Amino acid sequence: MGTPLELVKYNQDNGKFEVGQEAIATLRKVKAPLGVVAVSGRARQGKSYVLNCLLQQSSGGFKVGPTHRPCTKGLWMWSQPQRRVSPDGSEHYLVLLDTEGIDAWDQTAQYSTQIFSLAVLLSSLFVYNQMGGIDESALDRLSLVTEMTKHIRVKAGGADQQRLGDFTPAFLWLLRDFYLRLEEDGRKVTAKDYLETALMPVTGSGASVEAKNAIRSSIKSLFPDRDCFTLVRPMNDESQLVNLDEVPRSQLRPEFAQGVKSLIDIIFKKAEPKRYGSQYVTGPVLAGLVEAYVAAINEGAVPTIATAWQGVAESESRRAADAAEKTYAESFNAEVLAEETALDQEHQRCLELARKAFEDVAVGDENIKRAHEKKFLQAVTSRYGEVRARRLAEAASRVNEMLYQATMSISQAARSGRSLSEVQAQLQSFMEEFQHSAAGPTKWQRLAEFLRDTYPGVASEMINRAEKTAREAQSSLQRELDEARRSMGAAESRAAEVGRRLQEVEAELGQLRQLRSEQQQEAAELRVQLEKAEARSRALETQLKETIAVNEMHLHSAGEQAEARLRSLSSEYEVKIAELQTQLSMERSSRAQHEGDVSALRSRMTAMEQQINTLSSEAADWRQRYSSAMEERVGLMRERDEARDQASRFNSQKEGVSRENIMLQEQLSRAQRDLQNQNKLRDDLQARLDTLIAEAQAARTEAQEGARPRPAPASAHTVQDVSASYDNDENDAGAVGNGAAASHLDVLNKMTVLEIKDWLTQQGHADAVWAYQSRKPVPKKQDWVALAREKATAA
């Protein structure tokens, strides 16, 4: 199931941010890449509800409260990252972050900026939750973005600040309880188009316009990957809205339920694993970034992305090197045979395991990784050199001990009177044990020396001792025989017995001689084996001498270099000692002067302590004034929110007036069309009147040229009267029109813009008025006066 864990909290006692150790420990257990979704926005507007929808649970998730007081403080994360599989089949985990509501009544501007900055720096998808549409008030609340760009650096020193957008997360502006229709000029537009239109620069000049455009520019530069999504109101029952997390999904509006489903799909699609360049952020890396950013904020420094990443890379690579050394030490078989080849093979096997352990943990730039890899390689190589030398020395000592014990045992057996065959059996048993138990490069060489120097002497000594015993027995018997012969007469029977004994001794002597010949044959075979062992020993000795010669050459070269380096360092140290002695004499001379300065500084410190006490009392007064000012600021912020609400209502009224204006413009268009029809009708009547005047003038001429007067027809008189009347009217109208035009030209500068528009419309220039007032920027009064003069002159 999981539970919320506090990732970052604020300590009211010392005014510092603190990192939740349980959350950090949870992150360090996740070795796979991580995507981070952070939901931010104003307090009490349903951020936690969105996160619980991502967890697919309405209860038991992040805390959702029904009152006006905020539930979430600091940054909280879910204890069980969500496992996700990318379209390419790779696996990563999703961490959900719930942030404290920004712009709350109990927050300072600096605190809101810090919480907002931490959420942006740690996330790979930043969801900004808001009620209603995007207006100036909503954009003004995101002025934190402008402040954030001032308090975050990509690199130390502020270089490459324009690249900040390359390291920020994807941005999703979530509009809740959205009631507007997304239409423009009669066509439907997307929510993203609506967002981009709202972020277009405002025309005009002045400080307020510059501030508005600065917010828009900061949002676009900080979040180049941005999108917008709208959700309708979940339901109309206000009493159920306060406990929305407890309302069954079946009672929600279908449009809202479908919108939530689409929102979850978009978030999962956009929440890719967080990266730094080509490196994925894993659980231990994210934990290190949290600690680095919090430490930078607590120290009053500007969080630097590259510095934090480099610090985490150094820490993780150092931890990877330690893990590699530990893996090598644990994997090395201490019971491996003490042979050079076996030891080298075991070293290479453990080295591969250590490299794998290092690559599994190490992150960051290749230079950092290779530097720590070099360190751990040096450490394990040095460790192996020590182990190798110790094992070979132990093996050599074991060989010497076994050969010494064998020498003593065989010598003891020879002295104890055992037969040569028994001694040979004992030697054969020792050699079998020696072959399986002894190890090391000196094993066969020392055995050859043993067989050459020890065993032949023992065997020869045993044969000589047997011959000596036989000769002594023969001499003794011969003496007895001589004595018997001298006393043969007295003891002939004894002589016969002695003869028998002599025959027995001779037979035994023959056996001894046969045994000696067998022993000599065995000695010859042993000599052959000894010669083979000596040949092998000589080969090993030659190889050993060559190795010793090479090592002596290396040692000699290293000794010469060390001596040269020692002489160089000795000369350098002598120069430095002379310089230090000179500096010491100078320091001693200036010490007396410094003691006088110290006494003067002590007196100044006393005076400054008095000033500090005075300033402390003044600071207490200022703190009290600051508290009063902050209370007043909170009240002003409440009034500002009320003013913003009034501005929202005014904008709604403005939209209504705009619709009425459109209707009036449509009516004006119809009136203009009617006026054009009337002008056309007037032109037709004028043409007919001209025809009648021409006919009347022709009739008058014909009457004057006739021989006798004829009575004019009634119709001609009527036409003549009409013509005269028309001529008089036309002349009068022309005079009046010219006078009116001149009068208008004189008083144009005294007329208002509305009066000028009305005059131009009455003169038949309604199309020009409509086109002129649609121009950008909006025409000023002198522009309208110039237009009126132009039309009057043309008339």
Side-chain angles (χ1 to χ4, degrees):
M1 288 292 293
T3 183
L5 299 178
E6 194 169 20
L7 181 61
V8 178
K9 62 181 179 180
Y10 185 74
N11 191 328
Q12 297 285 351
D13 297 333
N14 56 17
K16 301 287 185 181
F17 286 97
E18 296 178 355
V19 177
Q21 295 304 318
E22 185 178 358
I24 292 296
T26 300
L27 289 177
R28 292 194 182 279
K29 295 177 183 177
V30 184
K31 307 301 181 182
L34 285 181
V36 183
V37 177
V39 181
S40 182
R42 298 188 68 187
R44 310 305 310 124
Q45 292 194 352
K47 301 185 299 298
S48 301
Y49 179 79
V50 175
L51 289 168
N52 290 337
C53 289
L54 293 175
L55 290 173
Q56 297 182 354
Q57 56 187 42
S58 59
S59 61
F62 289 96
K63 185 178 180 181
V64 179
T67 65
H68 69 284
R69 297 188 64 85
C71 294
T72 305
K73 291 291 185 180
L75 293 181
W76 290 72
M77 62 165 278
W78 193 247
S79 63
Q80 291 186 350
Q82 309 296 300
R83 180 179 176 273
R84 305 292 301 169
V85 179
S86 301
D88 60 357
S90 60
E91 180 181 286
H92 66 277
Y93 287 83
L94 199 61
V95 175
L96 304 181
L97 290 185
D98 192 6
T99 67
E100 181 176 353
I102 61 174
D103 199 19
W105 58 269
D106 59 345
Q107 292 180 1
T108 63
Q110 180 182 5
Y111 179 85
S112 298
T113 303
Q114 290 169 341
I115 289 293
F116 189 88
S117 302
L118 284 174
V120 171
L121 288 171
L122 297 176
S123 61
S124 58
L125 174 61
F126 184 78
V127 181
Y128 182 70
N129 183 77
Q130 174 195 311
M131 290 289 186
I134 302 176
D135 52 17
E136 285 300 329
S137 298
L139 291 171
D140 186 51
R141 293 189 190 99
L142 272 181
S143 61
L144 292 174
V145 175
T146 305
E147 292 298 320
M148 178 183 170
T149 56
K150 300 177 183 178
H151 293 84
I152 294 179
R153 295 289 181 268
V154 175
K155 293 183 178 180
D160 294 337
Q161 191 62 15
Q162 65 273 15
R163 294 179 55 238
L164 184 59
D166 297 339
F167 300 92
T168 52
F171 178 75
L172 180 62
W173 198 328
L174 176 59
L175 304 178
R176 306 279 294 276
D177 294 0
F178 191 76
Y179 60 88
L180 300 177
R181 288 186 297 178
L182 295 176
E183 294 181 356
E184 185 176 345
D185 297 332
R187 63 180 180 87
K188 290 186 177 181
V189 297
T190 64
K192 181 177 177 62
D193 296 333
Y194 173 66
L195 171 61
E196 296 300 326
T197 302
L199 295 179
M200 292 179 62
V202 178
T203 58
S205 60
S208 60
V209 173
E210 292 178 358
K212 294 178 181 179
N213 289 335
I215 296 174
R216 288 168 166 82
S217 176
S218 298
I219 294 174
K220 290 193 289 186
S221 63
L222 189 65
F223 301 115
D225 181 7
R226 54 187 178 271
D227 202 348
C228 183
F229 191 85
T230 61
L231 280 177
V232 299
R233 192 177 181 88
M235 57 176 50
N236 297 322
D237 190 350
E238 295 288 345
S239 61
Q240 289 186 327
L241 280 177
V242 296
N243 295 311
L244 186 60
D245 58 320
E246 299 177 0
V247 177
R249 298 292 175 90
S250 59
Q251 296 183 13
L252 300 175
R253 293 175 60 186
E255 301 91 334
F256 178 79
Q258 182 61 37
V260 170
K261 184 177 181 299
S262 300
L263 173 64
I264 293 174
D265 293 339
I266 290 176
I267 291 178
F268 283 153
K269 181 179 179 181
K270 288 182 173 292
E272 298 179 349
K274 188 173 179 63
R275 295 174 180 237
Y276 181 85
S278 60
Q279 298 284 330
Y280 282 113
V281 173
T282 60
V285 174
L286 183 62
L289 290 175
V290 173
E291 293 173 339
Y293 289 141
V294 169
I297 291 175
N298 286 338
E299 292 173 1
V302 175
T304 304
I305 297 175
T307 302
W309 176 261
Q310 185 175 5
V312 173
E314 287 281 356
S315 175
E316 290 301 306
S317 296
R318 190 181 306 112
R319 192 168 66 88
D322 295 340
E325 289 187 36
K326 183 178 180 181
T327 300
Y328 180 90
E330 293 176 349
S331 303
F332 196 90
N333 183 12
E335 302 299 327
V336 66
L337 189 63
E339 295 286 353
E340 293 179 331
T341 303
L343 288 171
D344 290 342
Q345 291 176 352
E346 182 67 13
H347 170 65
Q348 292 299 327
R349 184 186 72 83
C350 296
L351 201 58
E352 290 300 322
L353 295 175
R355 282 197 177 99
K356 185 177 183 303
F358 178 82
E359 292 296 335
D360 290 343
V361 179
V363 296
D365 186 75
E366 285 299 321
N367 294 330
I368 297 176
K369 293 170 65 175
R370 297 289 79 83
H372 287 280
E373 183 181 16
K374 182 179 179 182
K375 290 181 180 178
F376 101 77
L377 287 176
Q378 291 175 349
V380 298
T381 302
S382 175
R383 176 188 179 90
Y384 170 67
E386 295 175 358
V387 172
R388 184 177 184 273
R390 186 181 71 252
R391 291 299 307 279
L392 294 179
E394 291 174 353
S397 176
R398 172 65 176 164
V399 166
N400 293 333
E401 183 180 357
M402 291 182 69
L403 292 176
Y404 174 76
Q405 291 179 356
T407 301
M408 298 300 295
S409 176
I410 292 174
S411 299
Q412 182 67 28
R415 287 193 297 269
S416 64
R418 293 186 181 180
S419 64
L420 187 60
S421 59
E422 292 176 345
V423 173
Q424 288 177 343
Q426 185 176 356
L427 177 62
Q428 185 64 31
S429 175
F430 163 74
M431 291 183 65
E432 291 177 357
E433 181 185 0
F434 183 85
Q435 183 177 359
H436 292 91
S437 301
T442 63
K443 171 181 177 181
W444 299 112
Q445 179 183 358
R446 296 289 295 127
L447 179 61
E449 293 175 355
F450 168 78
L451 294 175
R452 182 187 64 194
D453 299 336
T454 303
Y455 179 72
V458 173
S460 177
E461 181 182 355
M462 291 182 66
I463 293 172
N464 292 332
R465 188 166 56 248
E467 290 178 350
K468 182 180 179 182
T469 302
R471 285 195 299 270
E472 289 177 354
Q474 184 180 4
S475 299
S476 177
L477 291 173
Q478 187 64 39
R479 286 192 300 270
E480 290 180 0
L481 179 59
D482 292 340
E483 184 179 355
R485 284 174 180 174
R486 284 191 300 269
S487 58
M488 184 180 293
E492 186 175 349
S493 58
R494 186 177 177 186
E497 183 178 357
V498 170
R500 287 194 303 272
R501 290 187 59 191
L502 179 61
Q503 289 176 358
E504 292 175 357
V505 170
E506 287 177 353
E508 186 177 354
L509 181 61
Q511 292 177 358
L512 289 174
R513 287 173 180 170
Q514 184 180 357
L515 180 60
R516 179 179 180 181
S517 63
E518 291 176 357
Q519 290 176 350
Q520 288 176 350
Q521 184 178 357
E522 291 178 358
E525 293 177 356
L526 288 174
R527 286 191 186 95
V528 172
Q529 295 180 3
L530 180 61
E531 288 175 357
K532 293 181 180 179
E534 287 178 350
R536 185 173 180 182
S537 175
R538 284 194 295 272
L540 291 173
E541 186 176 359
T542 302
Q543 183 179 358
L544 181 62
K545 288 180 180 179
E546 293 176 355
T547 304
I548 292 173
V550 173
N551 290 336
E552 286 178 351
M553 291 175 61
H554 287 281
L555 183 61
H556 181 67
S557 175
E560 290 179 351
Q561 293 178 0
E563 289 177 359
R565 179 62 177 166
L566 183 59
R567 288 193 296 270
S568 175
L569 291 175
S570 177
S571 61
E572 292 178 2
Y573 287 154
E574 288 177 357
V575 174
K576 289 183 179 180
I577 288 171
E579 293 176 354
L580 290 174
Q581 288 177 349
T582 304
Q583 293 179 1
L584 181 60
S585 61
M586 294 174 64
E587 291 292 335
R588 286 174 178 173
S589 61
S590 61
R591 178 177 178 182
Q593 181 179 357
H594 288 333
E595 289 178 352
D597 294 340
V598 167
S599 61
L601 287 173
R602 286 175 179 170
S603 61
R604 290 180 60 188
M605 285 179 60
T606 303
M608 291 179 68
E609 287 177 354
Q610 295 177 356
Q611 294 180 2
I612 289 172
N613 294 331
T614 304
L615 291 175
S616 298
S617 60
E618 294 179 358
D621 296 337
W622 280 108
R623 287 193 189 96
Q624 186 175 2
R625 295 179 184 178
Y626 175 76
S627 299
S628 302
M630 288 301 296
E631 293 176 356
E632 183 179 356
R633 178 176 177 274
V634 170
L636 291 175
M637 289 176 68
R638 292 197 189 96
E639 294 177 0
R640 183 193 65 180
D641 291 339
E642 294 176 357
R644 286 174 178 171
D645 295 338
Q646 293 178 0
S648 299
R649 291 194 295 272
F650 174 74
N651 288 333
S652 300
Q653 295 175 0
K654 182 179 177 182
E655 291 176 358
V657 172
S658 298
R659 289 193 292 270
E660 292 178 359
N661 189 19
I662 293 173
M663 295 174 60
L664 291 174
Q665 288 177 356
E666 292 176 352
Q667 293 176 2
L668 178 59
S669 299
R670 290 195 296 270
Q672 288 175 349
R673 289 194 295 270
D674 295 341
L675 181 60
Q676 289 176 357
N677 294 332
Q678 292 177 4
N679 289 336
K680 184 177 180 181
L681 180 61
R682 186 191 67 180
D683 293 339
D684 293 340
L685 292 174
Q686 183 67 39
R688 292 178 60 189
L689 181 60
D690 291 342
T691 302
L692 292 173
I693 291 173
E695 291 176 356
Q697 289 177 350
R700 187 184 302 169
T701 303
E702 184 179 355
Q704 291 175 356
E705 293 178 355
R708 55 186 180 85
R710 289 178 296 179
S715 61
H717 178 74
T718 304
V719 171
Q720 183 179 4
D721 294 341
V722 171
S723 176
S725 175
Y726 173 77
D727 291 337
N728 293 332
D729 292 343
E730 187 177 22
N731 294 332
D732 294 342
V736 172
N738 293 333
S743 176
H744 278 304
L745 289 173
D746 292 337
V747 300
L748 279 175
N749 290 327
K750 299 180 180 179
M751 297 172 63
T752 64
V753 174
L754 183 60
E755 291 173 345
I756 294 174
K757 291 181 182 179
D758 293 340
W759 182 81
L760 288 171
T761 303
Q762 293 172 3
Q763 296 298 319
H765 303 300
D767 292 338
V769 171
W770 176 256
Y772 209 62
Q773 70 182 1
S774 300
R775 285 176 50 185
K776 297 293 185 180
V778 179
K780 298 181 179 179
K781 179 178 178 181
Q782 52 267 35
D783 298 327
W784 288 104
V785 171
L787 178 64
R789 287 179 177 174
E790 177 185 348
K791 298 300 181 182
T793 303

